[in-house]
């Protein structure tokens, strides 16, 4: 059962929405002001948030921005009052997934909710897990793209896999054998030096100064570590 959080201060609307969604077999949580809304919205069990803009305490825009800055990607549908229609671009900029203008029919909102949930489900991978961004380095694991200070960096397949593995295990020291097993495969014989050669090439492409690497550091006699950023 999908769980929906409704953050709306107008009691009549909040109660009507709560009933509508319960009838449609959703699990429903409600909040009647901004602070309560934010504290409930951070709960990872919430599948979608219906968020009013004008709220006491903390407004809907601020809640949305705060959640996105904290890396919480729960889908959000904003409720905007008539004459207060937000620009689609503004909505997307602050990280909302869609918005509905008051007054709306329950059916219209239900349809939007279903559409957003369907869209999320067809993208099974969490966006955050597919994108790494820190210290001028940007790696899109799904698109196999890497950028350094905004410039496209062309990596070989092995270099990309190495970087991906280091990033996924950042902060941990990884030895050459593990890298050989993970990147080249357990059954393939590859000289351990191969890892160093690929690592040197990778550093030339992503480090500001390859002679003094700051992203991928060597731990003498053990292996490599990506400094977590
Ligand atoms: Ca309101």
């Amino acid at each position: 059962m999908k769980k929906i959080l409704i953050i709306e201060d107008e009691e009549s609307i909040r109660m009507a929405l709560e009933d509508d969604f319960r009838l449609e077999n959703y699990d429903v949580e409600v909040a009647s002001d901004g602070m309560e809304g934010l504290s409930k919205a951070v709960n990872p069990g919430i599948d979608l948030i219906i968020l009013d803009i004008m709220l006491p305490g903390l407004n809907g825009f601020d809640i949305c921005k705060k959640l996105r800055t904290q890396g919480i990607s729960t889908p959000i549908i904003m409720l905007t009052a008539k004459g207060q229609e937000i620009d689609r671009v503004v909505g997307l900029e602050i990280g909302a997934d869609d918005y509905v203008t008051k007054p709306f029919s329950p059916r219209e909102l239900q349809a939007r909710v279903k559409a957003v949930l369907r869209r999320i489900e067809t993208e099974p991978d969490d966006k955050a897990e597919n994108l790494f961004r820190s210290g001028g380095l940007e790696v899109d694991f799904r698109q196999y793209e890497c950028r350094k200070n905004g410039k496209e960096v062309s990596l070989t397949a092995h270099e990309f896999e190495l970087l991906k593995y280091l990033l996924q295990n950042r902060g941990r020291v990884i030895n050459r054998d593990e890298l050989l097993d993970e990147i080249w495969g357990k059954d393939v014989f590859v000289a351990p030096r191969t890892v160093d050669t690929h690592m040197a090439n990778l550093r030339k492409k992503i480090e500001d100064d390859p002679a003094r690497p700051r992203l991928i550091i060597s731990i003498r006699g053990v292996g490599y570590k990506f400094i977590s950023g």
Side-chain angles (χ1 to χ4, degrees), residues 160-172 174 179 183 199 202 216-217 224-227:
F160 194 90
E161 291 300 328
L162 268 177
L163 179 59
K164 184 178 173 183
Y165 193 75
L166 287 167
L167 283 175
Q168 286 170 339
N169 293 280
R170 59 185 174 274
R172 176 165 82 81
I174 302 165
L179 287 170
I183 315 297
M199 202 63 83
L202 179 59
I216 302 171
I217 59 162
Y224 296 96
K225 175 166 131 171
F226 193 97
I227 300 294

Side-chain angles (χ1 to χ4, degrees), residues 8-10 52 54-55 102:
E8 165 66 83
D9 58 321
E10 262 170 82
D52 188 32
M54 296 299 283
L55 289 166
K102 288 178 186 174

Side-chain angles (χ1 to χ4, degrees), residues 8 13 25 28 41 50 59 99 116 122 150 154 157 173 175 208-209 211:
E8 165 66 83
I13 299 180
N25 279 320
V28 182
I50 293 175
N59 73 40
Y99 64 92
V116 170
T122 51
S154 165
V173 182
N175 67 37
D208 288 325
D209 180 0

Side-chain angles (χ1 to χ4, degrees), residues 131-144:
L131 200 66
F132 171 85
R133 206 180 272 151
S134 179
L137 185 69
E138 197 181 316
V139 186
D140 186 330
F141 298 130
R142 207 187 309 183
Q143 301 293 328
Y144 275 79

